[in-house]
Amino acid sequence: MDQFVLTEAVARPYHSNMSVKPDRTEAVVLVTCPDRPGIVARVTSSLDQVGANILDASQHTDVEGSMFLQRLHVSWPDESPEPESVHDVLTELGEELDLSWRIRWGHAPRHVAIFVSKMDHCLHDLLLLRRDGELNCRIPLVISNHPDLEETANQFNIPFHHVPVDSSGDPEAESRQLALLEAHDIDLVVLARYMRVLSPDFINRYQDRIINIHHSFLPAFAGGRPYHQAHRKGVKLIGATAHYATPELDEGPIIEQGVIRVSHRDSVQDMVRKGRDIERTVLARAVRWHLEDRIVVHGNRAVVFD
Amino acid sequence: MDQFVLTEAVARPYHSNMSVKPDRTEAVVLVTCPDRPGIVARVTSSLDQVGANILDASQHTDVEGSMFLQRLHVSWPDESPEPESVHDVLTELGEELDLSWRIRWGHAPRHVAIFVSKMDHCLHDLLLLRRDGELNCRIPLVISNHPDLEETANQFNIPFHHVPVDSSGDPEAESRQLALLEAHDIDLVVLARYMRVLSPDFINRYQDRIINIHHSFLPAFAGGRPYHQAHRKGVKLIGATAHYATPELDEGPIIEQGVIRVSHRDSVQDMVRKGRDIERTVLARAVRWHLEDRIVVHGNRAVVFD
Amino acid sequence: MDQFVLTEAVARPYHSNMSVKPDRTEAVVLVTCPDRPGIVARVTSSLDQVGANILDASQHTDVEGSMFLQRLHVSWPDESPEPESVHDVLTELGEELDLSWRIRWGHAPRHVAIFVSKMDHCLHDLLLLRRDGELNCRIPLVISNHPDLEETANQFNIPFHHVPVDSSGDPEAESRQLALLEAHDIDLVVLARYMRVLSPDFINRYQDRIINIHHSFLPAFAGGRPYHQAHRKGVKLIGATAHYATPELDEGPIIEQGVIRVSHRDSVQDMVRKGRDIERTVLARAVRWHLEDRIVVHGNRAVVFD
Amino acid sequence: MDQFVLTEAVARPYHSNMSVKPDRTEAVVLVTCPDRPGIVARVTSSLDQVGANILDASQHTDVEGSMFLQRLHVSWPDESPEPESVHDVLTELGEELDLSWRIRWGHAPRHVAIFVSKMDHCLHDLLLLRRDGELNCRIPLVISNHPDLEETANQFNIPFHHVPVDSSGDPEAESRQLALLEAHDIDLVVLARYMRVLSPDFINRYQDRIINIHHSFLPAFAGGRPYHQAHRKGVKLIGATAHYATPELDEGPIIEQGVIRVSHRDSVQDMVRKGRDIERTVLARAVRWHLEDRIVVHGNRAVVFD
């Protein structure tokens, strides 16, 4: 699976689900294509041609895969452009250079669903960041396999849906969950310490659009009870990993990781407590980068333009 | 294997191989015994009884194993004690409390052999620290399966022994290595990026006295070419792990770990370069703690009294 | 002012304000005295004498000041001791060794008042930790010079008091604040991004019992708008510092510090956002250590037995 | 002094002092100009016009100063360009956009002089990195006010010059130092724990070309004996700062900073030891970035394109 995943933009423009008129004076453009000389000049002059000013451009050339990836943050200083004309010029470029592209128009918040179980530290942090304007998204619902966190969601005026799940991959529960996601036109699912495993079918529907936080420094301690595993092993640092979910458990592209020191004095319970801070920080960072279109998945790796 | 490894002290007092008269006004005492009320008071009053002043005492109770571990740094402010009287009081305590103990008299430097292959960043660092008095040890020899680092060893006036090794566990080579270790009365073997695997027999002879630096954040990426593994996986932090060698490769008790950030921009070669700083720092710290008798191995975990 | 501050225990036993019966099977004892041989043995055997089992003992000798500091976590495995007998043995020891001591009986939560202004990330974190049992205290009230955070306090069922403050040190406002603190028998005041300066008189009443979070890596960028100062200076790391308040602004004993990387790409606003995580983590750690009696103030330094 | 310092390129092309023929198939171009729409497209198409392929382009817009800064790593995949034609197109661009530029042709190593006093950990690290090809430079000489490190320099076959210095700013000593720098056509001076202060006149001659390592987290603890200051203050983290020297001591643009944890247990001597690792790592990183033309000084801040 060594190819780029930018097909979403073609199939379904990011801004299609916006009830508000998107701000067309700013946009993020992501492009990928086989590497060759002259791409940067070609892309920038094409955008210049439709009046775009390039505020920031980052690129990465994957030497092994010979692929070129670029993120451009552009604005139109004078007047809003016609989206069609911008799309046309990108389409033309795409044909010429065998280039995939996607564009997101400014201030068009995506719809995010948060899945939780009983622990609320990650949920709380995401809701606070959203409230403070640090996460550019809407959160139309929280879904949980337990009723415990309803009050937390309500404190932030977010509808809470209790969907009991018999066991990981429970098809009836997943049907209910999927129906909720579709009803709210969800773009991104965040598993904020959700303790059930989703079925491959569910995950494939939201490829590269499900972010999970795993409470270990992956690939160490994949699977269940990672702090217990870490304690048994006697590691001197514990960590957390935010990654896109793939059908292979805890194997998806890593977006962000963090660690904190522990010692022999720390019990499993101490590790759980210390891990809290890392988990929520790492998850919040990954979600923010996704919402700012800073991530391109390439093979099994996540390129983050930070 | 859930028991304490303090037998070395009984079989062979740490200070027996010293040609210099040990400084008997300071010592480090390590004790372990089944946990029960009153141990701290019993140990400290026994030491008080033979004139010892306790400069520093740290202890740890392993709740699962119900074991008590203590490190005491003691001094005799007035005059040097008779070592026999100190040993007697500890032996008596040992019988009473089912307690294992070992004592190291102050400023009695241990003999350390450093094993290397071709990379010298860890070797350099250890030799500089030794020269500056930061590592309390003698380094009578450097052993390598390649001739490359002879000059580095010589710059620091350390004899260099080139012992070619056909493949990991080569019995003839190991015989030569062991003969060298015995000839120099070696207490500690440091594998400073030595790229051969030692045989279980070799390792068992120096149980808990071989420190290896592995260039990954174990248990992730055990085995060969860990930076290549880390690059392929797309992790966002790389690390290094200093651990005691056991017959199971890269599975021994972890003494210290460190990490450094990487990104998609870093090639394997960049990771190698960034890892250098972590490897040498983590290894140097582990060696220093060992030489200061701050480590007690308990089951498969290393308790570090830092 | 180079002397130890353990007088609080004498003037007012920590557990005096508890309406619940304290758990007398566990206690933390802090002692300080001029350094001399034999102290550890004397203290431990005195505690042994009244039936105490020493779970954990840490000590520190301040070489320059020739002072000895020790923290002992003790328990009575069989039955609760008479507090008076424990106090008697410590008092006797105090007279003999010129030793100051204080004791806190287990599970006797202190009363904490949190002062805030408009930002709630630190407040939120403290209230969540308190709710989850990570902070062993009661929080009878939140005091603010602004009405904004009333709802946050109420979500956690904490009474909120809006005390407007004309300018830093406003005597009328401080009278009202002090009356509230006294009415609730407050042991610790936490300034969780409270943006007014307290008068020296206020601070002296709660010496070593007011913890402030300053949003810079002190002593760099003391005073107002530290992130603006940091941005102007072009530092590559920003930080946060939890310290005891003293009459000299931002000069009190440092309890804990943390940092996070920034670059030229970060605006002041980005620094504010990144600093959030550090501020709340550093403050929460400092408050927890205080509540676990892990901190002894010595001169202008805070010794933390972690 | 809020303007860009790119004048060096005009006055004296970086590659003028190369005895080897520079590799003209790769170059780094740094440009700065007042911000306005369309710059990125203009610069990239101008370079495209002379056959350059853009491998990597980073830019930064300083919002306050309304300045645009860009670093471009370019190559000519087919054949070496005429440097004159590249310079012409950049000069033309410069006039049109009020743009300053400098270009460094690939693999043209700069000449670096290292100043030391008695400590060698930073010197050792730079010499090892240079030897291993991690620093693209020549080091024609080491200059010291003490004779101690002659042997270290000689081990790496670097000529060592002992220039005694009566006191900071000693004009005779500086004349000798400057003569040596000129004789070896030095581009960069690295103060690797050099314990004398250079005169403003000396510093101005090498503006933005003298890198100093200060052993504290600036702006905290500027001036002498920073570890003593840090110990007295009781900070919980110590640090190191690499910066360009300016006539105001320890006030120049900060290139890189690092920190490490300390506690009350650490004496000044422990801090010195722990600081070693940070100092050498931070300094080596700053020198590498300078040699890779990743740094642009803007006002009193160093923009690092990493």
Side-chain angles (χ1 to χ4, degrees), chain A residues 35-42 44-45 48 52-61 68 77 261, chain D residues 35-42 44-45 48 52-61 68 77 261:
Chain A
D35 193 30
R36 76 178 67 167
I39 301 172
V40 172
R42 285 290 291 116
T44 53
S45 64
D48 188 51
N53 182 31
I54 293 163
L55 299 175
D56 190 76
S58 312
Q59 71 275 332
H60 173 62
T61 303
F68 172 85
R261 285 195 84 80
Chain D
D35 193 30
R36 77 178 67 170
I39 301 173
V40 173
R42 286 290 290 117
T44 53
S45 64
D48 188 49
N53 183 32
I54 293 164
L55 300 175
D56 191 77
S58 312
Q59 70 276 329
H60 173 62
T61 303
F68 172 84
R261 284 194 85 81

Side-chain angles (χ1 to χ4, degrees), chain B residues 89-283:
Chain B
V89 88
L90 287 168
T91 302
E92 200 180 313
L93 207 61
E95 283 163 11
E96 185 191 327
L97 298 173
D98 190 12
L99 169 152
S100 301
W101 59 273
R102 73 178 194 228
I103 189 166
R104 178 179 313 284
W105 295 92
H107 306 305
R110 258 167 289 191
H111 292 192
V112 176
I114 304 179
F115 280 46
V116 294
S117 289
K118 291 186 171 179
M119 274 165 296
D120 71 347
H121 55 283
C122 288
L123 174 63
H124 241 287
D125 213 38
L126 293 170
L127 296 181
L128 282 172
L129 289 168
R130 165 70 191 72
R131 185 204 65 185
D132 293 345
E134 300 292 355
L135 295 178
N136 181 27
C137 65
R138 292 177 189 178
I139 302 178
L141 77 168
V142 170
I143 295 176
S144 180
N145 57 330
H146 291 288
D148 308 49
L149 302 185
E150 176 154 20
E151 198 183 320
T152 303
N154 291 347
Q155 282 174 8
F156 290 86
N157 300 312
I158 313 278
F160 178 89
H161 297 264
H162 177 211
V163 181
V165 179
D166 272 355
S167 59
S168 289
D170 173 352
E172 269 188 71
E174 290 204 349
S175 296
R176 287 186 60 196
Q177 292 167 341
L178 285 166
L180 284 165
L181 299 186
E182 274 153 37
H184 290 87
D185 216 358
I186 292 301
D187 299 285
L188 175 69
V189 174
V190 178
L191 306 179
R193 296 299 308 273
Y194 178 66
M195 305 307 280
R196 291 293 186 186
V197 176
L198 298 170
S199 73
D201 180 59
F202 187 116
I203 288 169
N204 287 331
R205 285 200 199 195
Y206 285 87
Q207 191 184 356
D208 298 332
R209 294 191 294 151
I210 303 175
I211 296 178
N212 181 45
I213 181 74
H214 183 76
H215 41 309
S216 86
F217 185 79
L218 289 173
F221 312 130
R225 298 166 72 84
Y227 291 131
H228 287 78
Q229 295 183 54
H231 189 262
R232 205 173 310 122
K233 182 70 188 168
V235 290
K236 302 301 184 186
L237 294 165
I238 55 170
T241 304
H243 64 96
Y244 287 115
T246 56
E248 300 74 33
L249 187 64
D250 299 334
E251 288 284 338
I254 293 172
I255 304 169
E256 175 63 337
Q257 300 187 291
V259 290
I260 193 168
R261 285 194 86 81
V262 292
S263 80
H264 62 273
R265 283 186 297 270
D266 289 299
S267 65
V268 170
Q269 198 51 42
D270 292 328
M271 290 184 174
V272 168
R273 177 172 52 74
K274 291 189 172 181
R276 256 179 49 118
D277 283 332
I278 297 298
E279 291 165 28
R280 65 182 179 180
T281 304
V282 163
L283 179 59

Side-chain angles (χ1 to χ4, degrees), chain C residues 91-166:
Chain C
T91 302
E92 199 179 315
L93 207 61
E95 282 164 10
E96 185 192 327
L97 297 174
D98 191 14
L99 170 152
S100 301
W101 59 273
R102 70 179 195 228
I103 189 167
R104 176 179 313 283
W105 295 93
H107 306 304
R110 259 166 288 190
H111 293 192
V112 176
I114 303 179
F115 279 48
V116 293
S117 289
K118 292 186 171 178
M119 274 165 297
D120 70 349
H121 55 283
C122 288
L123 174 63
H124 241 287
D125 212 39
L126 293 170
L127 297 180
L128 281 171
L129 289 169
R130 166 69 191 74
R131 185 205 66 186
D132 293 345
E134 301 291 355
L135 294 179
N136 182 28
C137 65
R138 293 179 188 176
I139 303 180
L141 78 168
V142 169
I143 296 177
S144 179
N145 58 328
H146 291 287
D148 308 49
L149 302 184
E150 176 153 20
E151 199 182 319
T152 302
N154 291 348
Q155 282 174 8
F156 291 86
N157 300 313
I158 312 279
F160 177 89
H161 297 264
H162 176 210
V163 180
V165 180
D166 274 353

